[in-house]
Amino acid sequence: MKQERLYLPFEIEFVTLEEYPKGSRHNSFFELIYIFSGTGTQYINQHKFNYRAGNLFLLTPQDVHSFEISSSTQFFFLRFNEYYVKAAPGHEKDTVKRMEFILQNASHRPGCILKNKTDKPLIASLVGNIIQENSHQQLYHKKIIEQIVNAIITIVARNIALKLPKNIKENTGEVVLDILHYIQENIFEPPKLRAEQISRHFGISLSYMGRYFKKQTGETLQQYLTSYKLRLVESRLLHSDMRIGEIAYEFNFVDESHLNRSFKKLKGVSPTEYRKQFC
């Protein structure tokens, strides 16, 4: 299996391919792939998805992937790492948190990550603008491209946030999407995540909110809170040197044993075993 590496903060590439390079690939960075035209099949983590124009794929450092081209395909590649987002000028804490949404999506299933209909033409326009700026290379083109890249990453984060619960669809009610965003923003503040506080914040009765949330997402509020925290724990295990006890403390588990039990229930292995397998 070939491992690809990134030597710049971010890289862009626009190519037309009749055949995708053979063999599975494993990145050491994040990669967004936009399909301008063409059809074929995306393979990722032993799953597959039939792609077409307008699809946008996210590949994370854990993903094993390849493409099989059915008809001549125009690919746009945007490659970047987490340090780009953290170090880029103007990026504040909220932007770094958005990156967490990308990191926690590790080993996701295949398919287009654009869940918000209005974002589809927006991404198409932004990608087109990058290609135009890169082609003409007029004054300040590098700075303009960087700003567009930042916008794309932010839009991707928004769409990943919509993807997490299994029943979220493009037409899911706005209120539940706001609730998900609220949970993700306040995941490190347990008092704000109590059902009573969430129902009060959104003006929904406590008895109705539980039914509404499960109907919209397929999970109870507590199930979603636990699964979301464990996805972030997974990110810590893969992308940091934090000790298991430190991770348990950060995410407000009672102790390390509590985290071990919860993580093993989800993944089938302990956090320590998981880290050994993938790091």
Side-chain angles (χ1 to χ4, degrees), residues 23 34 40 59 78 84 89 122 153 157 189 192 200 225 262 267 273:
Y34 183 76
L59 303 175
L78 168 57
Y84 166 70
L122 180 55
I153 291 173
E189 300 184 59
K192 292 185 177 181
R200 190 180 307 118
L225 284 169
S262 300
K267 291 292 184 180
E273 292 168 334

Side-chain angles (χ1 to χ4, degrees), residues 229-230 248 252-264:
K229 281 204 299 185
L230 289 174
N252 297 289
F253 286 90
V254 175
D255 52 27
E256 188 173 328
S257 296
H258 181 208
L259 172 57
N260 283 333
R261 290 194 301 272
S262 300
F263 192 87
K264 191 168 185 177

Side-chain angles (χ1 to χ4, degrees), residues 28-53:
S28 62
F29 48 84
F30 296 93
E31 184 170 30
L32 288 166
I33 304 176
Y34 183 76
I35 307 297
F36 258 100
S37 64
T39 58
T41 305
Q42 176 209 27
Y43 294 90
I44 179 171
N45 304 327
Q46 300 180 335
H47 299 282
K48 64 180 182 178
F49 174 83
N50 294 326
Y51 71 77
R52 63 182 185 276

Side-chain angles (χ1 to χ4, degrees), residues 84-209:
Y84 166 70
V85 174
K86 293 179 179 179
H91 281 175
E92 305 296 338
K93 287 184 179 180
D94 63 333
T95 307
V96 175
K97 285 183 179 179
R98 292 187 191 109
M99 192 61 183
E100 289 277 4
F101 298 162
I102 296 176
L103 295 178
Q104 63 78 33
N105 198 47
S107 301
H108 60 282
R109 293 168 299 188
C112 179
I113 65 170
L114 294 176
K115 297 300 178 183
N116 190 351
K117 283 184 177 180
T118 59
D119 285 338
K120 293 180 179 180
L122 180 55
I123 286 291
S125 176
L126 291 173
V127 171
N129 289 335
I130 287 179
I131 293 172
Q132 185 176 36
E133 287 292 334
N134 194 54
S135 175
H136 295 165
Q137 298 199 358
Q138 297 184 39
L139 188 64
Y140 303 132
H141 77 279
K142 289 183 179 180
K143 186 64 177 177
I144 291 172
I145 288 175
E146 181 179 309
Q147 291 173 348
I148 298 173
V149 166
N150 293 345
I152 289 175
I153 291 173
T154 303
I155 294 168
V156 165
R158 173 165 67 188
N159 282 268
I160 289 173
L162 306 188
K163 185 176 180 179
L164 297 180
K166 59 186 178 182
N167 281 3
I168 288 291
K169 301 291 190 300
E170 291 181 358
N171 60 350
T172 295
E174 287 291 331
V175 175
V176 79
L177 300 183
D178 289 340
I179 293 173
L180 293 176
H181 182 66
Y182 173 88
I183 290 170
Q184 292 159 357
E185 282 196 324
N186 295 286
I187 195 66
F188 298 108
E189 300 184 59
K192 292 185 177 181
L193 299 179
R194 296 193 181 103
E196 296 86 352
Q197 175 60 29
I198 296 175
S199 64
R200 190 180 307 118
H201 181 86
F202 288 96
I204 302 174
S205 72
L206 183 59
S207 59
Y208 175 71
M209 192 188 72

Side-chain angles (χ1 to χ4, degrees), residues 225-262:
L225 284 169
T226 300
S227 65
Y228 182 68
K229 281 204 299 185
L230 289 174
R231 288 187 180 100
L232 293 178
V233 167
E234 185 180 353
S235 173
R236 293 289 189 271
L237 294 170
L238 295 170
H239 299 282
S240 81
D241 296 324
M242 293 175 67
R243 295 190 294 271
I244 306 302
E246 292 174 327
I247 297 174
Y249 177 79
E250 180 184 22
F251 290 102
N252 297 289
F253 286 90
V254 175
D255 52 27
E256 188 173 328
S257 296
H258 181 208
L259 172 57
N260 283 333
R261 290 194 301 272
S262 300

